[in-house]
Amino acid sequence: MVNKDQVKGVAKQATGSAKEAVGKATGSKKTEAKGKAEKVAGKVQKGFGDAKEKVKKAL
């Protein structure tokens, strides 16, 4: 089963990847950096969601 943290995390990763690509294409280091940061935040949130699922399954 998938929880909301996993879904939101994957969505943030996708949005971050898109922003990073736009930043690279336009030469905007600021947009590129924001995209990278959003990707990392998404990975962290997904990891948190994964951990919650493991705990649920263990109980």
Side-chain angles (χ1 to χ4, degrees):
M1 190 163 191
V2 178
N3 63 41
K4 67 180 180 179
D5 287 310
Q6 289 170 315
V7 172
K8 287 182 180 181
V10 170
K12 274 186 186 178
Q13 286 181 35
T15 303
S17 291
K19 282 183 184 178
E20 185 179 3
V22 169
K24 284 181 181 178
T26 61
S28 173
K29 294 291 183 188
K30 187 175 184 179
T31 302
E32 188 177 344
K34 283 183 181 180
K36 284 181 182 180
E38 196 164 338
K39 266 180 28 180
V40 170
K43 284 182 183 180
V44 169
Q45 188 169 10
K46 184 182 179 304
F48 177 71
D50 291 345
K52 281 174 47 177
E53 282 300 310
K54 284 182 183 179
V55 169
K56 275 186 187 177
K57 288 179 183 178
L59 297 178

